[in-house]
Amino acid sequence: NAGVTQTPKFQVLKTGQSMTLQCAQDMNHNSMYWYRQDPGMGLRLIYYSASEGTTDKGEVPNGYNVSRLNKREFSLRLESAAPSQTSVYFCASSVVFGAYEQYFGPGTRLTVT
Amino acid sequence: GDSVTQMEGPVTLSEEAFLTINCTYTATGYPSLFWYVQYPGEGLQLLLKATKADDKGSNKGFEATYRKETTSFHLEKGSVQVSDSAVYFCALSQETSGSRLTFGEGTQLTVNP
């Protein structure tokens, strides 16, 4: 059981470039989430998918898009990266939406220059 | 909206010292409260939780009591170890916000031998 995996671990982009962060879970969880972590601000929810086939905006969705590819995979896309998107990105999953425990991946450290 | 405030870090202690990390919250309803821990280079892990007033969550020697009257959920451990060095996040969730997690800023703890 790998739990929640994320790729890549590190990425450097130039302003305006695009990229997709990948997330997969092997726990048969229904719900998946994308967070960003910035110093002094905790984690903020970008988007979530309560169940396969649905996605919803979180607290800070601007500049991002998501795809729930299947039950296992939930990707986050930056169409035109900006320096303000420099952050550490975490994917998480839970058995069902509203379940108290979320399981987190190891994170992707993204720098936009 | 809902919010969580944690004591400012970083916190540096010697091994076997007593630990308190303060957490207070603002919420309109009756949230569930959590402590997550992030070890270096890893994603967040649930440490403990409490779902109603006066509940005490405990795990790995850590404890926190849900105090509705003071809207607090302070994390304590009687004797810290070097292996407890990590970032600790207080968080809340309630059904009126779709059970999404709202995190505090995080508190960095370093324990020296």
Side-chain angles (χ1 to χ4, degrees):
Chain A
N1 247 5
V4 180
T5 57
Q6 293 182 235
T7 55
K9 284 189 166 39
F10 302 94
Q11 184 71 49
V12 178
L13 291 178
K14 294 189 188 317
T15 297
Q17 288 184 318
S18 62
M19 79 161 296
T20 299
L21 281 64
Q22 306 287 353
C23 173
Q25 51 90 11
D26 63 1
M27 297 174 284
N28 201 34
H29 285 175
N30 287 293
S31 301
M32 298 184 74
Y33 313 80
W34 276 105
Y35 293 89
R36 60 177 289 172
Q37 182 182 27
D38 301 294
M41 301 188 75
L43 276 75
R44 293 180 292 169
L45 183 64
I46 304 171
Y47 270 94
Y48 65 96
S49 172
S51 60
E52 187 180 356
T54 70
T55 60
D56 284 287
K57 295 178 181 179
E59 186 184 351
V60 288
N62 290 346
Y64 306 95
N65 285 301
V66 290
S67 294
R68 184 75 183 266
L69 303 168
N70 47 55
K71 192 172 185 180
R72 290 187 63 248
E73 299 173 286
F74 188 39
S75 63
L76 178 72
R77 182 159 179 85
L78 287 70
E79 291 290 353
S80 179
S84 60
Q85 295 179 304
T86 293
S87 187
V88 181
Y89 291 86
F90 287 99
C91 178
S93 70
S94 62
V95 174
V96 295
F97 187 64
Y100 300 131
E101 181 161 9
Q102 293 184 17
Y103 296 78
F104 284 78
T108 295
R109 185 173 294 275
L110 174 67
T111 302
V112 183
T113 60
Chain B
D2 300 341
S3 65
V4 176
T5 302
Q6 291 181 230
M7 67 183 289
E8 288 188 20
V11 174
T12 302
L13 297 174
S14 298
E15 209 164 21
E16 299 183 4
F18 185 85
L19 169 70
T20 300
I21 300 178
N22 290 339
C23 171
T24 57
Y25 68 89
T26 301
T28 52
Y30 300 93
S32 296
L33 301 173
F34 312 87
W35 278 100
Y36 276 80
V37 59
Q38 183 181 27
Y39 297 104
E42 298 183 12
L44 280 70
Q45 304 171 26
L46 181 65
L47 181 60
L48 53 84
K49 67 184 182 189
T51 58
K52 60 183 188 297
D54 299 325
D55 268 1
K56 177 186 283 189
S58 61
N59 185 25
K60 299 181 181 181
F62 290 89
E63 292 183 339
T65 301
Y66 187 163
R67 301 282 188 207
K68 183 168 175 291
E69 62 276 13
T70 55
T71 62
S72 65
F73 192 54
H74 304 321
L75 183 68
E76 297 182 336
K77 187 175 186 184
S79 175
V80 293
Q81 306 300 313
V82 172
S83 58
D84 294 327
S85 298
V87 181
Y88 293 81
F89 291 91
C90 186
L92 70 79
S93 170
Q94 59 179 343
E95 291 184 19
T96 53
S97 60
S99 297
R100 295 179 293 181
L101 285 171
T102 299
F103 287 90
E105 317 87 77
T107 301
Q108 172 79 54
L109 170 66
T110 301
V111 180
N112 295 318

